[in-house]
Amino acid sequence: MAPAQEQGKFKIALVQMPIGSDKEQNLNTAARKVAEAKKNGAYLVLLPECFNSPYETGSFDKYAEEIPNGPSSVAMSKIAKDNGVYLVGGSIPEKSAGKLYNSCPVWDPNGKLIALHRKVHLFNMDIPGKCTFFESEAFTPGEGVTIFDVGLFKVGVAICYDLRFPEWAALYRDQGVSLMIYPGAFDTYTGPMHWDLLLRSRALDNQMYVAGVCGARDTNASYVSWGHSLLVDPWGRIVVEADEKETILYHTIDMKVCDEIRKQIPVNKQRRPDLYSSKKI
Ligand SMILES: O=C(O)CCC(=O)C(=O)O
């Protein structure tokens, strides 16, 4: 009998870890959490956005490293291999050819780099007195979708603000993705209003599992994260959700759940792209 993951069923772990200014400590925390997730049966482990660095534009250059040769990549590759898991390395500030990117590397159970997503839609937002952040002061945007295979699942990766763009998630669905992963760091203003709504919307629009993975809240940080990592199933139901504290969430995802809704409510085959143009109105 083939292992469960080859039949389209395996356990994923969403690591909501504390993130501080000590890079080595952040990497050690990640190593400890992934080992714990493995012990609890996880086959695919997800880390949060910017898990090796404070989330602040003034720090990205200082923490940036090359992928896959920098120390954080070497550490992640070893963590994946030591535990025999797929590891989605949240994101780290990446330095490449004189530019910085907000990048998520993905490692297979042999510690090999199999995918790299560079955040495509940069988080530039100005809500006076509530939330102002200009990621483009530091980062250059990426240009493409990022997809890898785990068993029968095609898995997509995008990062945080990428979540606000339904057209972007639809491109992944059109490539056959059934699990979409968004490492994130929503703040405490937009988080309570939009985080679960956006994750649920992308899941239901595209009839796929959607995971959002954040760091634990640190009220002393310059940017205070909302936390609330969660996993939504292809029916739009939240199946596991954290509060703001450090934790690991687990769920066994099953391809049958995707197949079921796609067959029973076949919106993807019922689309009318012939009418979806403003020229037709
Ligand atoms: O869209 C938002 O409200 C927050 C986005 C964000 O925190 C990010 O892209 O890192």
Side-chain angles (χ1 to χ4, degrees):
M1 175 100 137
Q5 57 268 20
E6 283 164 29
Q7 298 171 39
K9 202 170 165 175
F10 55 85
K11 195 186 269 192
I12 70 172
L14 287 66
V15 174
Q16 183 164 298
M17 56 177 267
I19 301 167
S21 55
D22 183 334
K23 190 194 274 187
E24 203 178 321
Q25 193 174 324
N26 293 332
L27 292 171
N28 289 339
T29 305
R32 196 164 33 81
K33 296 284 183 185
V34 176
E36 181 183 333
K38 167 67 180 185
K39 214 179 282 170
N40 288 318
Y43 188 58
L44 171 62
V45 184
L46 321 178
L47 300 178
E49 183 179 21
C50 225
F51 79 92
N52 74 346
S53 149
Y55 190 65
E56 51 197 23
T57 45
S59 289
F60 294 144
D61 188 35
K62 180 170 154 220
Y63 285 76
E65 298 179 11
E66 288 179 0
I67 298 175
N69 296 322
S72 298
S73 291
V74 171
M76 282 186 270
S77 164
K78 181 169 172 357
I79 294 169
K81 190 171 178 190
D82 286 352
N83 293 287
V85 294
Y86 283 89
L87 179 63
V88 175
S91 78
I92 64 170
E94 179 200 2
K95 197 180 285 187
S96 175
K99 291 185 177 158
L100 298 184
Y101 300 90
N102 187 343
S103 301
C104 176
V106 181
W107 311 88
D108 78 4
N110 296 312
K112 185 170 164 251
L113 181 70
I114 53 167
L116 179 65
H117 183 72
R118 290 175 170 161
K119 190 175 189 175
V120 167
H121 305 89
L122 294 180
F123 172 32
N124 289 341
M125 185 187 278
D126 188 12
I127 310 175
K130 304 286 187 200
C131 179
T132 297
F133 204 93
F134 287 97
E135 223 179 10
S136 62
E137 286 172 358
F139 289 133
T140 299
E143 298 292 335
V145 299
T146 304
I147 298 171
F148 60 100
D149 294 301
V150 180
L152 296 183
F153 271 86
K154 282 209 175 302
V155 183
V157 183
I159 301 175
C160 205
Y161 202 68
D162 284 334
L163 173 60
R164 289 191 177 270
F165 299 85
E167 304 89 336
W168 194 246
L171 287 178
Y172 287 76
R173 175 201 65 218
D174 292 346
Q175 300 291 314
V177 164
S178 296
L179 166 63
M180 192 69 205
I181 297 166
Y182 292 97
F186 268 45
D187 83 314
T188 51
Y189 186 68
T190 60
M193 288 190 282
H194 299 161
W195 173 242
D196 64 346
L197 179 61
L198 286 166
L199 291 163
R200 293 186 68 196
S201 302
R202 297 299 80 83
L204 187 58
D205 287 348
N206 300 300
Q207 302 180 317
M208 57 192 181
Y209 285 98
V210 175
V213 196
C214 295
R217 190 174 306 166
D218 173 1
T219 49
N220 295 317
S222 65
Y223 180 93
V224 179
S225 159
W226 170 235
H228 288 260
S229 298
L230 62 90
L231 179 74
V232 187
D233 81 1
W235 290 87
R237 297 174 291 208
I238 295 175
V239 288
V240 274
E241 180 175 11
D243 56 17
E244 76 285 3
K245 294 189 279 298
E246 168 179 357
T247 188
I248 305 179
L249 302 174
Y250 298 96
H251 187 74
T252 298
I253 60 170
D254 188 342
M255 188 57 99
K256 280 199 204 119
V257 182
C258 295
D259 293 344
E260 183 184 60
I261 186 168
R262 288 174 179 182
K263 194 164 157 229
Q264 293 174 0
I265 311 179
V267 284
N268 204 24
K269 293 189 190 135
Q270 296 165 330
R271 289 181 205 287
R272 293 290 311 273
D274 54 318
L275 299 179
Y276 302 159
S277 157
S278 49
K279 292 197 193 94
K280 300 269 178 190
I281 296 170

